[in-house]
Amino acid sequence: DQQVKQNSPSLSVQEGRISILNCDYTNSMFDYFLWYKKYPAEGPTFLISISSIKDKNEDGRFTVFLNKSAKHLSLHIVPSQPGDSAVYFCAARIPSSNTGKLIFGQGTTLQVKP
Amino acid sequence: DAGVIQSPRHEVTEMGQEVTLRCKPISGHNSLFWYRQTMMRGLELLIYFNNNVPIDDSGMPEDRFSAKMPNASFSTLKIQPSEPRDSAVYFCASSFGLAGGPRETQYFGPGTRLLVL
């Protein structure tokens, strides 16, 4: 059973517009959420994260929003650039054992068109 | 720093053969993770080590899969015998610390693309 779901396999946006990537989760015990970005033939790289005690975290063009009641988080990229074209994975941490175990979603492929 | 190093980058083998994937974590990191990426399930955690000791192998799909970490700078993931459904990209990641929080970011290697015919 997928505890972290990214229901949109792909997203295409025009350069300069906003990209919104969504992620839903089922386990209300998750205490920390992350987004990773992956280019072809490379491993995922950490992008941005948010603690469950917050509802927003911003880093430059990237903002992550967390809605705990809806068990939903989203990544906003404004403005989108062609270099943002990649696969984006959301991940959530299981806190119970404090062992850093991350549960990843299936990924969303973002294409930013010039 | 060279980052996490994985070898081989690509592996094509026939069903029933043994496959060994290798990983060198970032120097100084004490946690190492093996993941498998598939289209259907995304990134799945297979097993992870802390200070060379396996902590959780609940993600290992079958007894055909085994992983070792004989020292702080080397780990292997072995599949014996391999099957076509094992075809995927296998990633190794390392971190300093195990909590997965802000100071324990996991750094991924480039992955090994495995194709079992």
Side-chain angles (χ1 to χ4, degrees):
Chain A
D1 182 32
Q2 286 284 119
Q3 296 188 63
V4 177
K5 294 183 181 180
Q6 294 176 256
N7 292 316
S8 297
S10 62
L11 174 67
S12 181
V13 300
Q14 207 66 35
E15 180 179 6
R17 306 296 292 270
I18 183 172
S19 295
I20 300 176
L21 295 98
N22 294 304
C23 181
D24 297 298
Y25 61 94
T26 58
N27 191 337
S28 59
M29 297 301 293
F30 288 144
D31 70 340
Y32 190 62
F33 302 87
L34 309 90
W35 284 93
Y36 276 77
K37 177 179 179 179
K38 181 186 177 305
Y39 291 118
E42 295 183 10
T45 56
F46 171 74
L47 183 60
I48 192 170
S49 62
I50 187 168
S51 167
S52 62
I53 63 174
K54 296 185 176 182
D55 56 17
K56 177 182 176 181
N57 187 28
E58 189 173 354
D59 184 2
R61 297 185 297 112
F62 303 90
T63 303
V64 56
F65 294 92
L66 176 62
N67 183 334
K68 289 184 65 178
S69 61
K71 295 189 179 66
H72 177 83
L73 69 155
S74 61
L75 174 68
H76 292 211
I77 307 173
V78 183
S80 302
Q81 300 174 354
D84 297 329
S85 298
V87 179
Y88 290 80
F89 291 97
C90 70
R93 183 178 73 168
I94 297 177
S96 57
S97 59
N98 199 34
T99 59
K101 185 171 180 176
L102 298 180
I103 307 297
F104 283 83
Q106 305 96 314
T108 297
T109 299
L110 172 66
Q111 182 185 25
V112 180
K113 297 180 179 179
Chain B
D1 197 325
V4 176
I5 299 173
Q6 291 186 247
S7 64
R9 293 294 307 274
H10 302 273
E11 178 79 29
V12 180
T13 190
E14 292 186 346
M15 182 174 63
Q17 296 298 306
E18 177 180 299
V19 175
T20 299
L21 310 181
R22 298 173 175 79
C23 176
K24 176 179 170 55
I26 292 173
S27 177
H29 283 185
N30 60 358
S31 299
L32 184 139
F33 307 80
W34 281 102
Y35 290 90
R36 177 171 68 175
Q37 182 192 3
T38 61
M39 290 295 292
M40 290 299 295
R41 301 186 65 82
L43 277 168
E44 297 177 274
L45 178 64
L46 300 178
I47 185 172
Y48 64 98
F49 297 82
N50 180 244
N51 293 323
N52 311 337
V53 175
I55 302 300
D56 185 343
D57 65 354
S58 60
M60 296 287 260
E62 299 172 32
D63 291 344
R64 299 184 294 106
F65 286 70
S66 62
K68 294 182 179 180
M69 192 165 186
N71 57 63
S73 58
F74 184 66
S75 176
T76 60
L77 177 67
K78 186 175 292 186
I79 308 172
Q80 167 64 15
S82 58
E83 297 182 2
R85 58 193 169 121
D86 301 330
S87 299
V89 182
Y90 291 80
F91 289 102
C92 175
S94 71
S95 67
F96 180 72
L98 198 55
R103 296 181 183 84
E104 296 96 3
T105 301
Q106 293 184 20
Y107 294 85
F108 284 75
T112 295
R113 184 173 295 274
L114 173 65
L115 177 61
V116 183
L117 302 174

